Amino acid sequence: DVKVTQSSRYLVKRTGEKVFLECVQDMDHENMFWYRQDPGLGLRLIYFSYDVKMKEKGDIPEGYSVSREKKERFSLILESASTNQTSMYLCASTRAGGSTTKNIQYFGAGTRLSVL
Amino acid sequence: AQKITQTQPGMFVQEKEAVTLDCTYDTSDPSYGLFWYKQPSSGEMIFLIYQGSYDQQNATEGRYSLNFQKARKSANLVISASQLGDSAMYFCAMREGNAGGTSYGKLTFGQGTILTVHP
């Protein structure tokens, strides 16, 4: 079974703190993603990575950065946390492939981050 | 413009009845994939069903089927014989391609539909 593991289920941080959210997958997937989920907005893509050290901005990258030093690990960094970054963060991974292949995106359990 | 639209914020269904969750999408890419995920209150995203844009048949996975109407750009999820455990948030998502038919696999999600199954 594919496993995507996020380091924390719940996190409480102070405004201005640097926050690291870690994600590890065990299926040798090339592509990894960070989404945030807010009520009524669905999931929105923050950043993704298609290879080690490669990263691309998603739809809402402002205030975030990412790091992918190893294939299995993808980190999301909030350089200076703000209250509007209070949200559920979901990491996912998938195999590389064509646009119509059935490459399922597998998700971690999510991290619920509160910034006070 | 919204790429994925789920117009039903909430749906109710009686146990053992069938229910249809609506999803419309917008893309000019001829090669795309459509996914449905279930998110129970615990938060994890569970893959349910997939439909490729070139697939001739509607996808089915157990009690889940996808009513794919390409010309209307709709991909509705049908759950047959609803169970109490089906109560959850359901998301429709689309994957488009890069140039050359490859894909980084990123998904665009709809807003979700909360399904409540009544005993």
Side-chain angles (χ1 to χ4, degrees):
Chain A
D1 269 0
V2 175
K3 192 146 187 173
V4 180
T5 303
Q6 293 184 230
S7 51
S8 308
R9 286 302 303 271
Y10 300 94
L11 216 48
V12 180
K13 295 292 180 182
R14 296 281 178 198
T15 303
E17 276 193 78
K18 191 168 187 175
V19 181
F20 292 87
L21 302 184
E22 307 285 347
C23 176
V24 177
Q25 50 96 0
D26 66 357
M27 280 302 291
D28 202 36
H29 285 166
E30 292 81 6
N31 301 330
M32 296 188 74
F33 308 84
W34 276 105
Y35 297 90
R36 69 176 274 176
Q37 181 180 2
D38 300 290
L41 297 177
L43 279 72
R44 293 177 293 166
L45 182 64
I46 305 171
Y47 266 97
F48 69 98
S49 168
Y50 53 90
D51 202 350
V52 174
K53 297 193 187 295
M54 305 303 289
K55 60 187 180 186
E56 293 276 345
K57 292 179 180 179
D59 300 316
I60 51 164
E62 298 78 19
Y64 304 94
S65 62
V66 289
S67 172
R68 193 161 180 207
E69 296 296 317
K70 293 186 177 182
K71 191 174 185 180
E72 67 271 17
R73 188 180 295 270
F74 192 36
S75 303
L76 179 69
I77 304 153
L78 288 66
E79 294 289 343
S80 177
S82 63
T83 54
N84 63 13
Q85 292 178 310
T86 291
S87 187
M88 170 77 126
Y89 290 87
L90 289 155
C91 175
S93 73
T94 189
R95 192 165 303 287
S99 54
T100 56
T101 57
K102 188 182 175 182
N103 285 342
I104 299 165
Q105 196 162 121
Y106 293 94
F107 285 81
T111 296
R112 199 168 288 281
L113 173 66
S114 295
V115 183
L116 307 178
Chain B
Q2 288 275 24
K3 286 203 166 190
I4 295 282
T5 303
Q6 294 180 253
T7 57
Q8 306 154 315
M11 287 285 285
F12 296 89
V13 66
Q14 210 65 32
E15 199 178 4
K16 300 190 180 112
E17 299 287 314
V19 63
T20 297
L21 306 184
D22 294 342
C23 173
T24 57
Y25 59 93
D26 183 27
T27 181
S28 55
D29 187 350
S31 303
Y32 54 90
L34 296 159
F35 298 78
W36 277 92
Y37 283 85
K38 172 184 177 182
Q39 188 182 43
S41 55
S42 53
E44 77 270 29
M45 296 283 283
I46 301 166
F47 165 76
L48 294 179
I49 196 166
Y50 167 80
Q51 181 87 40
S53 60
Y54 297 119
D55 293 345
Q56 296 295 314
Q57 308 255 11
N58 283 348
T60 60
E61 295 275 359
R63 294 187 299 112
Y64 305 107
S65 60
L66 205 152
N67 184 0
F68 181 46
Q69 298 189 41
K70 196 169 179 177
R72 298 176 68 178
K73 293 188 176 177
S74 75
N76 298 338
L77 177 70
V78 180
I79 305 174
S80 63
S82 297
Q83 301 171 355
L84 297 178
D86 293 335
S87 293
M89 176 79 90
Y90 289 80
F91 289 101
C92 179
M94 177 172 64
R95 181 187 62 210
E96 296 170 286
N98 311 326
T102 61
S103 172
Y104 290 136
K106 56 179 180 169
L107 298 177
T108 302
F109 284 84
Q111 308 94 317
T113 296
I114 299 175
L115 176 67
T116 304
V117 180
H118 289 304

